[in-house]
Amino acid sequence: MVSIAIMGHGVVGSGVAKQKLFSAVGEELRIKYILDLREFPDSPLSDRFTKSFDDILGDIEVRIVVETMGGIHPAYEYVKACLSAGKSVVTSNKELVAAHGAELLSIAKETNANFLFEASVGGGIPILRPINQCLVANDVSEIAGILNGTTNFILTKMIKENMQLEDALKLAQELGYAERNPAADIEGHDACRKICILASLTYGKHIYPDAVYTEGITGITLSDVEYASIWGGVIKLIGSVKKVSKDKIDIIVAPMFIPNESQLSSIDDVFNGIMVRGDSVGDVVFYGRGAGKLPTASAVVADVIDCVKHLKARKYLSWADSDNSSVIPHEDSVAAMYVRVKANDKDEAYHKAEEVFGEIHLLKKPDAPSWELAFVTEPMTVREFDEKLRAFSSGDIEVCSRIRIGDL
Amino acid sequence: MVSIAIMGHGVVGSGVAKQKLFSAVGEELRIKYILDLREFPDSPLSDRFTKSFDDILGDIEVRIVVETMGGIHPAYEYVKACLSAGKSVVTSNKELVAAHGAELLSIAKETNANFLFEASVGGGIPILRPINQCLVANDVSEIAGILNGTTNFILTKMIKENMQLEDALKLAQELGYAERNPAADIEGHDACRKICILASLTYGKHIYPDAVYTEGITGITLSDVEYASIWGGVIKLIGSVKKVSKDKIDIIVAPMFIPNESQLSSIDDVFNGIMVRGDSVGDVVFYGRGAGKLPTASAVVADVIDCVKHLKARKYLSWADSDNSSVIPHEDSVAAMYVRVKANDKDEAYHKAEEVFGEIHLLKKPDAPSWELAFVTEPMTVREFDEKLRAFSSGDIEVCSRIRIGDL
């Protein structure tokens, strides 16, 4: 009989408490404590609730602790204390793992405990374990993913239903896909935490979110969506990490033009999709619901079951701390760029664009306003592009949009 | 230092021998033997070759044996002997696992050895481990997949380039995707072995290929491909298993109409894709190269590394033997059906179709020959459909095609 505790009885935590933990594992499991400051008198597990973390920490019977509180504090202090006491911890908290993963993994190693967090990326989609185990014989050159369901829902509504961004956001909020304060989603921070976790696991060094250039979707207009379609693709918010040399990576979160041929282009609504490019296996894509109570809870429970099976032997999941020095400066990142401008004289602007950017690929939209010019450049560094754009946009040319072209 | 042996130096085996096994695992690994009857004097590992299986079986230093010979004999006897001797075995041989998996897993359990075969389904795509570990908290209601790259390549050429089946097959052979004798691929046997392995793992009872209704792609015409497009989808060879009650499954391999909205519809060329439908996680799809030297070898190597990490503790991968009694008779399987017929009098045939099948959905092709009628029925059992089709096709109505509608 293994006793577990669940910290946090919110969306994911209450899903975990509902899972039929017992059916999938031979050894019997028991939820001994549920930590929450709120009261849940009607819960069938109402007798397990506690408001005191010390009940959990001090109980040697509790071998596995599930953390589904979210946020950094006090999740960080609690998880650290549990791991230090030799209890294994399973979490769905991407913010916590992205901020303190290396330290918590190192404590887990010292105390021979497990620290597992499959649910922190892609909700119920198996991704961390496949990367860590199944693809281990591959040199991974790139990971790119649609990692945030809320923004993907909004972009899908813009692409498929011509809905304005604000209206799509409002709808996402009404449907419960977006929080009242949607900043973490639409400004890309949530996707950033996830690509940091994927990069840390894949390349063995902790990448902290503040080292990652992060751009959200708030600047995307229906005009840009149409031009993406004319170009032959769709706009998706992509978290991407590329290996650029033996110990350097290029990591970014930004909206990108994705060609229709890419498997990621057809991942719509709240679904997530993650492409892993290995030297042996080629492109592998994982697709499914990246969030939600039950998908996420099912990933947490799978980790709990893995912990039960590895109470003595640790799982081989670990990465080292780092100072982010493996991340190349964003200015050195290379991509082709889409540019949309407002120009008094369109022909003049076109010639200037050719003069400044060299070869460009003009995008023609039948119903474009007379003042609008849109084109795609050749690949160049962000530094070079910024310089050229400055030179180009002087005078009576005003930049409306600039979006990266994803080379997927 | 762990010594391993590789049995078979064909496509996959020679890929495994090339993998940088050492880089991904802490404990050192050494290829001590390569078993093959042929000579490879130019191989950098030429000193490891042996023609005698007994060298491998008798060497207690060899803890892990890779089987990449293919076929049932002598692979079965060799693998059985290795497992009986307590050596762990990793194989990519789907024919072997589909035919003898339960017995070999049970021997592995007895001798506390591992028997792993991630590469046997989906080549390099992680699928067995994710189902067994990550999705373990889910009740899986269905698995459906494009499990054979050769037939998917042929169908893609028919769909996208209007190529005749025979020409597409010839091209696949020229490109090395299809064998000179392509029967195992185009008649569905390869896909059948894979869906059997997926079903056995998911539902815990060995399903043998001879219990599975299996239909290949040889009857598919360009006309059918066009009608599928008019219907709003594509024809794919699908291996599918559905849970129809607590201990009954419906398992089948057949070409099916797949709606364009399904993630499986956009999986083209030699790529494979496998959809797993769980009660908590919803639909999860795994996509990638389902065959080929390096993808498959990378999955074999990942299993070898897992064996090294579990030399003492067995992995929890097992299923029971069975008499296939959980498989419902194919006649009880339910699906809507596409029917294409040759009729002297099209109007009369249409009315007869309505009379016999009840509600039908007519498919209109602008350039259809005057004698052709195509429609889709409502869902019904195969038994019912067969009876109705017999009643319908009497007289001057000749059935050209009948294809299942996949409800994915």
Side-chain angles (χ1 to χ4, degrees):
Chain A
M1 167 77 85
V2 177
S3 293
I4 73 165
I6 303 172
M7 304 194 295
H9 199 65
V11 173
V12 178
S14 62
V16 174
K18 265 185 197 155
Q19 294 282 318
K20 300 170 221 151
L21 288 164
F22 304 89
S23 61
V25 60
E27 204 162 342
E28 222 177 324
L29 264 178
R30 177 169 69 126
I31 298 172
K32 191 163 180 184
Y33 301 102
I34 300 175
L35 179 70
D36 207 296
L37 293 180
R38 296 165 295 176
E39 310 268 350
F40 295 89
D42 300 332
S43 161
L45 299 171
S46 59
D47 58 327
R48 322 290 167 86
F49 278 82
T50 175
K51 293 188 173 63
S52 162
F53 171 64
D54 291 336
D55 283 353
I56 294 167
L57 187 65
D59 190 332
I60 55 162
E61 269 185 22
V62 175
R63 304 285 302 273
I64 301 163
V65 178
V66 171
E67 187 277 304
T68 50
M69 309 164 76
I72 300 281
H73 303 288
Y76 167 62
E77 290 76 13
Y78 288 2
V79 168
K80 194 169 165 178
C82 289
L83 291 172
S84 300
K87 297 180 196 301
S88 288
V89 174
V90 172
T91 184
S92 59
N93 187 337
K94 51 216 163 248
E95 202 179 345
L96 175 66
V97 178
H100 298 287
E103 184 196 358
L104 296 171
L105 282 165
S106 127
I107 295 172
K109 203 171 174 182
E110 273 169 37
T111 63
N112 205 31
N114 279 302
F115 180 48
L116 301 179
F117 38 86
E118 178 67 66
S120 68
V121 182
I125 309 171
I127 179 67
L128 301 185
R129 201 174 265 100
I131 288 178
N132 197 43
Q133 295 186 13
C134 306
L135 302 177
V136 65
N138 279 271
D139 188 6
V140 173
S141 61
E142 182 171 0
I143 297 178
I146 295 169
L147 300 167
N148 179 272
T150 309
T151 45
N152 203 40
F153 175 84
I154 294 170
L155 290 172
T156 303
K157 287 288 163 193
M158 292 176 76
I159 295 163
K160 302 236 156 149
E161 299 175 25
N162 218 29
M163 206 180 266
Q164 296 283 352
L165 190 139
E166 302 72 43
D167 298 333
L169 171 59
K170 216 172 286 171
L171 180 60
Q173 287 171 319
E174 281 166 23
L175 293 170
Y177 298 151
E179 316 257 343
R180 247 178 313 168
N181 177 355
D185 289 325
I186 64 173
E187 286 170 13
H189 302 306
D190 176 76
C192 177
R193 289 163 194 151
K194 292 169 180 168
I195 195 69
C196 284
I197 295 171
L198 290 169
S200 303
L201 178 70
T202 305
Y203 298 113
K205 283 180 185 169
H206 195 114
I207 304 301
Y208 290 89
D210 58 7
V212 178
Y213 175 85
T214 302
E215 196 182 310
I217 63 162
T218 48
I220 306 295
T221 67
L222 284 177
S223 228
D224 301 323
V225 167
E226 280 180 66
Y227 277 113
S229 163
I230 288 160
W231 173 78
V234 287
I235 300 177
K236 295 284 181 189
L237 182 66
I238 300 289
S240 145
V241 57
K242 282 183 202 175
K243 189 173 177 176
V244 291
S245 68
K246 195 176 159 291
D247 47 13
K248 291 286 177 190
I249 58 170
D250 183 6
I251 178 166
I252 181 173
V253 172
M256 297 186 194
F257 275 30
I258 301 298
N260 288 329
E261 296 74 38
S262 163
Q263 280 291 316
L264 295 185
S265 71
S266 62
I267 291 167
D268 289 331
D269 298 318
V270 293
F271 284 85
N272 286 16
I274 301 153
M275 186 274 288
V276 182
R277 183 166 286 168
D279 61 342
S280 294
V281 78
D283 288 3
V284 176
V285 179
F286 302 85
Y287 164 92
R289 284 184 183 277
K293 180 186 183 112
L294 288 179
T296 309
S298 82
V300 169
V301 171
D303 272 353
V304 169
I305 290 169
D306 216 3
C307 280
V308 172
K309 290 180 180 167
H310 289 85
L311 278 177
K312 284 161 202 158
R314 275 194 72 246
K315 296 283 291 180
Y316 292 72
L317 169 70
S318 199
W319 61 70
D321 203 356
S322 93
D323 56 1
N324 291 325
S325 60
S326 61
V327 178
I328 64 163
H330 179 59
E331 290 67 35
D332 293 339
S333 178
V334 173
M337 294 291 288
Y338 151 83
V339 179
R340 180 168 63 89
V341 299
K342 197 170 179 170
N344 275 350
D345 186 326
K346 221 161 116 170
D347 284 343
E348 203 183 284
Y350 175 65
H351 291 301
K352 192 169 175 195
E354 278 196 319
E355 208 180 282
V356 174
F357 289 101
E359 201 178 326
I360 58 169
H361 173 66
L362 199 64
L363 299 177
K364 286 181 193 160
K365 188 155 76 88
D367 61 345
S370 63
W371 49 262
E372 191 172 74
L373 181 77
F375 57 90
V376 171
T377 72
E378 291 290 292
M380 60 187 79
T381 63
V382 168
R383 181 180 297 106
E384 201 180 340
F385 174 77
D386 284 347
E387 277 163 18
K388 287 182 193 296
L389 194 67
R390 253 193 308 277
F392 175 59
S393 64
S394 64
D396 56 0
I397 295 170
E398 184 194 327
V399 178
C400 305
S401 306
R402 37 178 291 178
I403 301 175
R404 203 176 166 96
I405 308 292
D407 54 346
L408 298 173
Chain B
M1 169 77 86
V2 177
S3 293
I4 74 166
I6 303 172
M7 304 195 295
H9 198 65
V11 174
V12 178
S14 61
V16 174
K18 264 184 198 157
Q19 293 282 318
K20 299 169 221 153
L21 287 165
F22 303 89
S23 62
V25 61
E27 204 162 344
E28 222 176 323
L29 264 178
R30 178 170 69 126
I31 298 171
K32 192 164 180 183
Y33 302 102
I34 300 175
L35 179 70
D36 206 295
L37 294 179
R38 297 165 295 175
E39 311 268 350
F40 295 88
D42 300 333
S43 161
L45 298 172
S46 60
D47 57 327
R48 323 290 168 87
F49 278 83
T50 174
K51 293 187 173 64
S52 161
F53 171 64
D54 290 335
D55 284 352
I56 293 167
L57 187 65
D59 190 331
I60 55 160
E61 269 184 23
V62 174
R63 304 284 302 274
I64 303 163
V65 179
V66 171
E67 186 276 304
T68 49
M69 311 164 76
I72 301 281
H73 303 290
Y76 168 61
E77 290 76 13
Y78 288 2
V79 168
K80 195 170 165 176
C82 288
L83 290 171
S84 300
K87 298 180 196 298
S88 289
V89 174
V90 172
T91 184
S92 59
N93 186 336
K94 50 213 161 253
E95 202 178 344
L96 175 67
V97 178
H100 297 288
E103 184 195 0
L104 296 171
L105 282 165
S106 126
I107 296 171
K109 202 170 174 181
E110 274 170 34
T111 63
N112 205 32
N114 278 303
F115 180 48
L116 300 179
F117 38 84
E118 178 65 69
S120 67
V121 181
I125 308 172
I127 179 67
L128 302 185
R129 201 174 266 101
I131 288 178
N132 197 42
Q133 295 186 12
C134 306
L135 301 178
V136 65
N138 280 270
D139 188 7
V140 174
S141 61
E142 182 171 1
I143 297 178
I146 295 168
L147 300 167
N148 180 272
T150 309
T151 45
N152 203 40
F153 175 84
I154 293 170
L155 290 172
T156 303
K157 287 287 163 196
M158 293 176 75
I159 294 163
K160 301 236 156 149
E161 298 175 27
N162 218 28
M163 206 181 263
Q164 296 282 353
L165 190 138
E166 302 72 43
D167 298 333
L169 171 59
K170 216 172 285 170
L171 180 60
Q173 286 171 320
E174 280 165 24
L175 293 170
Y177 297 152
E179 316 257 342
R180 245 179 316 169
N181 177 356
D185 288 325
I186 63 173
E187 287 171 11
H189 302 307
D190 176 76
C192 178
R193 290 166 193 149
K194 292 168 180 169
I195 195 68
C196 283
I197 295 172
L198 290 169
S200 303
L201 178 70
T202 304
Y203 298 113
K205 283 181 184 169
H206 196 114
I207 305 301
Y208 291 89
D210 58 7
V212 178
Y213 175 84
T214 301
E215 196 183 308
I217 63 163
T218 49
I220 306 294
T221 67
L222 284 177
S223 227
D224 301 322
V225 166
E226 279 179 68
Y227 277 113
S229 163
I230 288 160
W231 173 77
V234 287
I235 300 178
K236 295 284 181 189
L237 181 65
I238 299 290
S240 146
V241 57
K242 282 184 203 175
K243 188 172 175 176
V244 291
S245 68
K246 195 176 160 291
D247 47 13
K248 291 287 177 189
I249 58 170
D250 183 6
I251 179 168
I252 181 172
V253 172
M256 297 186 194
F257 275 29
I258 301 297
N260 289 328
E261 295 73 40
S262 163
Q263 280 291 315
L264 295 184
S265 71
S266 63
I267 291 168
D268 290 330
D269 299 317
V270 292
F271 284 84
N272 285 16
I274 301 153
M275 186 275 288
V276 182
R277 184 165 286 169
D279 60 343
S280 294
V281 78
D283 288 4
V284 176
V285 178
F286 302 85
Y287 165 93
R289 285 185 182 276
K293 179 187 185 112
L294 289 179
T296 309
S298 82
V300 169
V301 171
D303 272 354
V304 169
I305 290 170
D306 215 4
C307 280
V308 172
K309 290 181 180 168
H310 289 85
L311 278 177
K312 285 160 201 158
R314 276 194 71 247
K315 295 285 291 181
Y316 292 70
L317 169 69
S318 197
W319 63 67
D321 203 357
S322 92
D323 56 1
N324 291 324
S325 61
S326 60
V327 178
I328 64 164
H330 178 60
E331 290 67 34
D332 293 340
S333 178
V334 173
M337 294 291 288
Y338 152 85
V339 179
R340 181 168 64 89
V341 299
K342 196 169 178 171
N344 275 349
D345 185 326
K346 222 159 113 168
D347 285 342
E348 202 182 286
Y350 174 66
H351 291 302
K352 192 170 176 193
E354 279 197 317
E355 207 180 284
V356 173
F357 289 101
E359 200 177 327
I360 58 169
H361 173 67
L362 199 64
L363 299 177
K364 287 180 193 162
K365 189 155 74 90
D367 61 343
S370 63
W371 49 262
E372 192 172 73
L373 182 76
F375 57 89
V376 170
T377 72
E378 291 290 290
M380 59 187 80
T381 64
V382 169
R383 181 179 298 107
E384 201 180 340
F385 174 78
D386 283 349
E387 277 164 17
K388 287 181 192 295
L389 194 66
R390 254 192 309 275
F392 175 59
S393 62
S394 64
D396 56 0
I397 295 170
E398 184 194 327
V399 177
C400 305
S401 307
R402 38 179 289 178
I403 301 176
R404 204 175 167 98
I405 308 292
D407 53 348
L408 299 173

